[in-house]
């Protein structure tokens, strides 16, 4: 499962950067990695409005972070955090996306268990305390719950003044939630125009409802960015994804990046700025079509 893969060679990854897990956690907590969420250098980034919000769902209320340009209406994006959940790293990533002209809802997909943040940084996931906090939260996830929640999130977004309902919605997931993005594109074909998965897990499974079998049910374009060590462990997945997208007649960019699992997440030990920026550029290219 993707959450288990997050620890791929973590100690070696940190050693390659001259860090230990303790020193890396300190850097993350200090917010130094947040400097990687660069804004446009020409000063064109718009003023932003951010709000902690609560979205009603069929199973209660989901806490979330909503950020968008302070003026105008904009295409909406649902951002699904990785296994460690909604936290500062994803607030920063959402801020960068909002500055590019999007109304971004970052959701706590663990809301059935607890409000965010469950843990502060990715490095905590590999600690006993982090495991104790996250494992019961992970147990609340299911494909049916993902679709139910996504339907509620889209309905909420479509009521917001900052959202341009005439344009399609984008959705992006990381690690375990990469598959969520594909799944809701199939469940909500009338609204989702782009689905992006970054170092996603569970995209190709033997199940009849495996995400790669759902392309035909969507009307979205797909961006699937695969980590090089994920590819090494499942080298045929990219081929299955490409074949399924082709058979469904969908636009799909499926690429193995020269970085390890987790490379797009700011507080991950495997964060790789160069490859993360490259993936970010491809994401914005896709979102221009919303």
């Amino acid at each position: 499962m993707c959450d288990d893969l997050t620890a791929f060679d973590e100690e070696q990854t940190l050693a390659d950067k001259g860090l230990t897990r303790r020193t890396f956690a300190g850097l993350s907590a200090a917010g130094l990695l947040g400097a990687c969420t660069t804004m446009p250098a020409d000063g064109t980034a718009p003023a932003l409005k951010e709000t902690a919000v609560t979205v009603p769902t069929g199973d209660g209320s989901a806490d979330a972070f909503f950020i968008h340009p302070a003026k105008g209406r904009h295409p909406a994006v649902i951002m699904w955090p990785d296994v460690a959940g909604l936290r500062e790293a994803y607030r920063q990533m959402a801020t960068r996306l909002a500055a590019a002209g999007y109304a971004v809802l970052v959701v706590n997909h663990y809301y059935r268990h607890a409000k965010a943040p469950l843990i502060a940084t990715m490095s905590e996931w590999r600690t006993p305390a982090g495991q104790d906090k996250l494992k019961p939260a992970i147990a609340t996830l299911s494909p049916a719950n993902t679709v139910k929640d996504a339907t509620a999130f889209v309905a909420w977004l479509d009521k917001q003044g900052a959202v341009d309902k005439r344009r399609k919605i984008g959705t992006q997931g990381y690690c375990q939630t990469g598959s969520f993005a594909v799944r809701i594109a199939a469940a909500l074909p009338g609204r989702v125009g782009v689905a992006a998965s970054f170092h996603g897990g569970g995209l190709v499974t033997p199940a009849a409802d495996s995400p790669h079998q759902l392309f035909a049910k969507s009307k979205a374009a797909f961006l699937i960015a695969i980590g090089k060590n994920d590819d090494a462990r499942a080298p045929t997945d990219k081929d299955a994804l490409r074949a399924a997208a082709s058979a469904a007649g969908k636009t799909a960019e499926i690429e193995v990046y020269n970085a390890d699992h987790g490379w797009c997440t700011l507080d991950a030990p495997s964060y790789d700025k160069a490859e993360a920026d490259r993936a970010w550029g491809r994401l914005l290219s896709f979102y221009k079509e919303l």
Side-chain angles (χ1 to χ4, degrees), residues 90-111:
Y90 278 87
R91 290 175 182 266
Q92 292 183 30
M93 292 158 68
T95 298
R96 184 183 186 188
L97 187 56
Y102 298 91
V104 187
L105 182 70
V106 193
V107 301
N108 172 22
H109 55 299
Y110 295 139
Y111 74 90

Side-chain angles (χ1 to χ4, degrees), residues 190-203:
R191 288 299 286 124
V192 178
V194 172
S197 167
F198 299 100
H199 39 87
L203 293 172

Side-chain angles (χ1 to χ4, degrees), residues 52-254:
V53 300
T54 301
V55 180
T57 71
D59 292 332
S61 298
D63 50 308
F65 175 66
F66 186 45
I67 185 165
H68 54 83
K71 296 181 179 179
R73 293 177 178 267
H74 310 274
V77 173
I78 301 173
M79 182 182 287
W80 304 83
D82 62 18
V83 65
L86 173 55
R87 57 194 189 280
E88 182 58 27
Y90 278 87
R91 290 175 182 266
Q92 292 183 30
M93 292 158 68
T95 298
R96 184 183 186 188
L97 187 56
Y102 298 91
V104 187
L105 182 70
V106 193
V107 301
N108 172 22
H109 55 299
Y110 295 139
Y111 74 90
R112 291 177 178 84
H113 176 71
K115 289 186 176 181
L118 275 72
I119 60 177
T121 68
M122 171 55 74
S123 62
E124 291 183 48
W125 162 232
R126 303 313 301 176
T127 67
Q131 295 272 309
D132 289 344
K133 289 179 181 178
L134 284 177
K135 283 187 175 179
I138 293 169
T140 67
L141 304 178
S142 71
N145 283 346
T146 296
V147 171
K148 182 188 297 185
D149 292 347
T151 302
F153 297 150
V154 170
W156 185 89
L157 283 165
D158 281 347
K159 294 177 182 178
Q160 306 310 306
V163 172
D164 186 348
K165 294 191 298 182
R166 299 169 299 176
R167 300 179 67 175
K168 292 293 186 73
I169 285 176
T171 185
Q172 59 198 76
Y174 300 77
C175 183
Q176 63 173 215
T177 65
S179 64
F180 291 18
V182 177
R183 195 172 296 282
I184 70 170
L188 300 168
R191 288 299 286 124
V192 178
V194 172
S197 167
F198 299 100
H199 39 87
L203 293 172
V204 178
T205 76
D209 67 343
S210 171
H212 81 293
Q213 302 286 12
L214 301 178
F215 287 143
K217 295 183 177 181
S218 79
K219 295 181 180 179
F222 295 89
L223 172 63
I224 300 178
I226 303 168
K228 65 181 181 181
N229 55 354
D230 291 327
D231 181 60
R233 286 164 172 78
T236 62
D237 280 7
K238 61 182 178 297
D239 301 319
L241 287 162
R242 289 168 180 158
S246 177
K250 302 303 176 185
T251 297
E253 180 174 302
I254 300 161

